[in-house]
């Protein structure tokens, strides 16, 4: 779930010949500190300044236990009810722990969950609002809920019963699956039994909001929501160790903090990102080189590309992530 990052010095490989195209008039990326297009007459007098933007909420929220506290947390966890994390749950712990979902401090409580579903944002204690369009929640079933009882904390363990984190000051609330799916995906895709059971009227109007698709199969819905427990548990996370997958790709999974350090180390005065779920092809390469050229024309001295391949749930016929990473390194390093 976290970033699969490659920092690339964009140059056309000598073995590849691209056709010369007219200058692109595509709009520039929205997240860059862009100003007016400088011309040959004005470019030399243009001063460009750039700095890293603040994380949502004003600071990067990392949720790792301090080294000096690990022993005490391990002892605490031994006396707590346990929740076994699925593969997807563990990936969400990864996202939360490294600050990708700042300012969240753990799995969503009910007020955060409802704000996300209905407003695609969260209102913070100081009255400010930050974007939050995806519900980051942890589902439990009736048996687990009963086992937790009156405990205010639970231990989160992986499939091998290794301690991953402690969830504190917990809140348990109803998992409104139908509302979560309709608000998040907005699909009338067939093959989702949950939809057939629930929506007896106004299916098209109520469900088809976001994607408006009738394509079959939403793996995340079927695996992470439809079959999940009837309750959600939220609280503050304390993660024991950074999440690793030991698949040969962990060195690509840079945290927000590591990415920010890397931007500074490379003395980047602009960062332009390209996210894709396929191998880089000719059209991608042209977009990347054109963007870099446009930034240089605007007065930036060292624009750096962040290539961001998608892992996780992709189409069944997509090239596997490990092979895409090999291709990215060969073609664009």
């Amino acid at each position: 779930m976290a970033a699969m990052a490659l920092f690339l010095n964009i140059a056309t490989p000598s073995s590849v010949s691209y056709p010369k195209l007219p200058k692109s008039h595509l709009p520039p990326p929205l997240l860059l500190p862009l100003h007016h297009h400088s011309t040959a007459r004005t470019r030399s007098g243009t001063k460009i300044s750039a700095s890293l933007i603040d994380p949502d909420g004003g600071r990067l929220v990392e949720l790792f236990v301090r080294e000096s506290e690990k022993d005490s947390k391990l002892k605490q966890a031994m006396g707590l009810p346990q929740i076994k994390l699925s593969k997807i749950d563990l990936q969400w712990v990864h996202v939360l722990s490294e600050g990708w979902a700042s300012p969240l401090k753990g799995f969503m409580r009910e007020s955060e969950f409802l704000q996300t579903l209905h407003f695609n944002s969260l209102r913070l204690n100081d009255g400010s609002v930050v974007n939050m369009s995806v519900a980051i929640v942890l589902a439990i079933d009736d048996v687990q809920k009963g086992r937790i009882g009156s405990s205010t904390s639970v231990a989160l363990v992986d499939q091998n019963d290794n301690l991953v984190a402690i969830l504190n000051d917990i809140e348990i609330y109803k998992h409104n699956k139908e509302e979560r799916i309709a608000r998040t995906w907005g699909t009338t895709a067939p093959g989702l039994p949950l939809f057939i059971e629930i929506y007896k009227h106004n299916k098209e109007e109520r469900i088809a909001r976001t994607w408006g698709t009738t394509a079959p199969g939403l793996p995340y819905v079927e695996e992470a929501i439809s079959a999940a427990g009837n309750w959600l548990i939220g609280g503050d996370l304390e993660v024991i160790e950074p999440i690793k997958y030991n698949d040969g790709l962990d060195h690509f999974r840079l945290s927000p903090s590591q990415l920010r350090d890397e931007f500074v180390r490379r003395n980047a005065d602009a960062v332009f990102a390209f996210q894709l779920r396929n191998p880089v092809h000719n059209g991608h390469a042209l977009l990347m080189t054109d963007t870099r050229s446009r930034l240089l024309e605007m007065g930036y001295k060292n624009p750096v590309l962040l290539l961001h391949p998608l892992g996780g749930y992709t189409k069944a016929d997509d090239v596997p992530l490990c092979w895409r990473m090999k291709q990215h390194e060969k073609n664009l390093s």
Side-chain angles (χ1 to χ4, degrees):
M1 302 294 290
M4 302 290 292
L6 278 176
F7 293 93
L8 305 168
N9 296 316
I10 299 300
T12 303
S14 58
S15 60
V16 180
S17 177
Y18 296 133
K20 188 174 182 179
L21 297 182
K23 183 168 180 172
S24 168
H25 294 285
L26 293 173
L30 294 179
L31 295 183
L32 295 176
L34 298 177
H35 307 284
H36 68 280
H37 286 277
S38 55
T39 64
R41 180 178 299 176
T42 63
R43 193 177 305 144
S44 60
T46 301
K47 292 184 178 180
I48 295 293
S49 62
S51 61
L52 292 173
I53 63 173
D54 290 332
D56 283 342
R59 70 181 185 90
L60 188 62
V61 177
E62 292 185 315
L63 304 175
F64 298 110
V65 172
R66 294 175 182 170
E67 192 66 35
S68 60
E69 298 177 349
K70 287 183 180 179
D71 288 343
S72 63
K73 295 299 178 183
L74 291 171
K75 291 178 182 178
Q76 177 191 355
M78 293 177 63
L80 295 176
Q82 290 188 352
I83 296 176
K84 184 165 289 191
L85 300 171
S86 69
K87 178 181 178 180
I88 296 173
D89 295 333
L90 186 64
Q91 291 172 343
W92 280 125
V93 171
H94 186 177
V95 168
L96 289 163
S97 66
E98 293 186 347
W100 291 103
S102 295
L104 287 181
K105 297 180 180 179
F107 286 103
M108 289 179 172
R109 295 181 172 87
E110 187 172 27
S111 63
E112 296 167 324
F113 175 62
L114 293 176
Q115 286 181 70
T116 296
L117 290 188
H118 292 275
F119 304 109
N120 292 326
S121 61
L122 295 177
R123 184 173 293 278
L124 306 183
N125 292 334
D126 63 3
S128 62
V129 176
V130 299
N131 291 330
M132 189 67 66
S133 58
V134 176
I136 302 179
V137 292
L138 179 60
I140 58 174
D141 59 26
D142 293 347
V143 174
Q144 290 171 312
K145 181 176 181 292
R147 192 180 300 135
I148 292 169
S150 60
S151 178
T152 59
S153 298
V154 295
L156 307 183
V157 300
D158 64 16
Q159 292 298 301
N160 296 318
D161 293 324
N162 298 311
L163 179 66
V164 173
I166 295 175
L167 193 64
N168 295 306
D169 191 20
I170 62 173
E171 176 185 339
I172 298 175
Y173 55 99
K174 189 69 176 175
H175 187 185
N176 294 319
K177 299 180 187 180
E178 65 276 18
E179 182 178 21
R180 181 182 172 192
I181 297 169
R183 291 282 181 179
T184 306
W185 281 276
T187 179
T188 56
L192 298 178
L194 183 63
F195 289 161
I196 297 171
E197 292 291 330
I198 292 167
Y199 295 109
K200 303 298 183 184
H201 65 281
N202 294 333
K203 295 181 183 178
E204 296 281 335
E205 178 180 1
R206 185 177 179 188
I207 305 176
R209 297 287 186 181
T210 306
W211 284 357
T213 179
T214 56
L218 286 175
Y220 190 90
V221 170
E222 294 174 348
E223 183 170 339
I225 301 180
S226 299
N230 294 322
W231 306 92
L232 297 176
I233 180 170
D236 296 333
L237 265 179
E238 293 182 301
V239 180
I240 306 302
E241 298 284 355
I243 306 300
K244 301 296 181 184
Y245 301 93
N246 302 313
D247 58 356
L249 301 177
D250 281 327
H251 63 290
F252 291 120
R253 296 185 177 98
L254 303 183
S255 70
S257 178
Q258 289 172 318
L259 285 172
R260 294 169 78 87
D261 289 344
E262 190 67 23
F263 297 152
V264 173
R265 188 186 73 80
R266 289 174 177 263
N267 196 30
D269 56 356
V271 177
F272 60 108
F274 196 89
Q275 181 170 284
L276 72 173
R277 72 164 202 270
N278 293 302
V280 172
H281 58 59
N282 188 47
H284 296 150
L286 290 170
L287 283 171
M288 294 179 211
T289 53
D290 182 68
T291 300
R292 177 175 169 81
S293 296
R294 288 163 60 93
L295 289 169
L296 290 170
E297 288 178 1
M298 293 167 57
Y300 291 96
K301 302 299 183 183
N302 187 32
V304 172
L305 168 65
L306 172 62
L307 186 65
H308 193 282
L310 289 175
Y313 283 110
T314 50
K315 292 172 59 181
D317 58 351
D318 281 338
V319 177
L321 180 61
C322 61
W323 286 104
R324 282 185 278 139
M325 296 306 291
K326 292 177 181 179
Q327 189 259 4
H328 298 333
E329 286 191 289
K330 290 290 186 182
N331 284 356
L332 294 174
S333 59

